[in-house]
Amino acid sequence: MTLLKRAALALFALLTGCSTTLNDYQGTQPPLDIFSYFSGQTEAWGMVQDRSGKQLRRFHVEITGQVTGETLTLNEHFVYDDGEKQQRIWHIRRTGTNQYTGTANDIEGVAVGQAVGNAFNWHYKMNVTSKGKTWLLSFDDWMYLQDDRHLFNKTTLTKFGFTAATVTLFFTKKAP
């Protein structure tokens, strides 16, 4: 094997060997049931960072969740630091044990997610407008339940396989 081939294989192993999978969270506590966590009132604070880590925007979200049968409806109201307001309504359906699909007005197709232990991983494509242009970005969304009231969320946004931005949120479930 040539030196170039060995170097390419080593780089591939390094890049793929470091990937986190949901199975890494098997048995972690507390278990995350998104229907239970998001039922009722939740509040979140977050930021968007570019690929270099520079903070681009900050935002606050008020979320009302309602469970009806096997569907969770999330009504999200965003307020950004520049005054922009946005609303997104998710319809998330439980399709099996810890398996979910979801739709929203700005989501292309259907989001697909799964929970294992205290983690939830969600994949979808969303139209994002920036500087007057709309881009279809892929979202790799990871949520981690810390305790019964606090959840962390980190999302990587990609275009053509390259990271365009990251979004970080901190959720607090309001007392009933």
Side-chain angles (χ1 to χ4, degrees):
M1 184 180 299
T2 68
L3 181 60
L4 182 59
K5 283 184 182 179
R6 275 189 258 162
L9 284 173
L11 179 61
F12 179 77
L14 178 66
L15 293 175
T16 59
C18 297
S19 297
T20 299
T21 69
L22 270 171
N23 288 333
D24 294 338
Y25 298 96
Q26 191 72 39
T28 56
Q29 297 293 321
L32 175 55
D33 175 345
I34 64 167
F35 277 38
S36 176
Y37 184 81
F38 286 107
S39 180
Q41 302 295 311
T42 309
E43 190 171 12
W45 297 264
M47 68 176 171
V48 180
Q49 294 172 278
D50 68 14
R51 64 178 167 246
S52 72
K54 178 183 175 188
Q55 186 182 68
L56 302 174
R57 300 182 90 181
R58 296 182 317 269
F59 57 92
H60 176 254
V61 190
E62 291 282 341
I63 305 164
T64 302
Q66 182 178 354
V67 176
T68 305
E70 295 300 314
T71 301
L72 167 64
T73 301
L74 293 179
N75 191 341
E76 303 174 330
H77 293 273
F78 293 80
V79 178
Y80 290 87
D81 58 339
D82 61 4
E84 180 186 352
K85 294 181 180 181
Q86 227 177 38
Q87 180 183 17
R88 177 172 301 112
I89 299 175
W90 279 99
H91 299 283
I92 302 170
R93 190 164 148 24
R94 190 183 323 254
T95 59
T97 304
N98 300 320
Q99 303 280 329
Y100 304 89
T101 60
T103 58
N105 59 328
D106 52 356
I107 302 300
E108 288 287 324
V110 176
V112 177
Q114 181 178 1
V116 173
N118 77 322
F120 178 75
N121 185 219
W122 192 230
H123 295 274
Y124 51 94
K125 293 183 184 227
M126 180 190 297
N127 289 303
V128 176
T129 301
S130 176
K131 299 177 184 175
K133 291 187 177 182
T134 300
W135 305 89
L136 182 62
L137 299 178
S138 296
F139 283 59
D140 184 12
D141 200 343
W142 285 86
M143 297 180 191
Y144 305 94
L145 186 62
Q146 302 302 302
D147 57 38
D148 63 337
R149 293 190 57 232
H150 301 98
L151 183 135
F152 298 151
N153 182 196
K154 184 163 185 179
T155 306
T156 304
L157 289 66
T158 59
K159 180 76 175 172
F160 304 121
F162 294 99
T163 298
T166 58
V167 176
T168 307
L169 291 114
F170 302 93
F171 292 86
T172 298
K173 182 169 181 61
K174 294 183 178 181

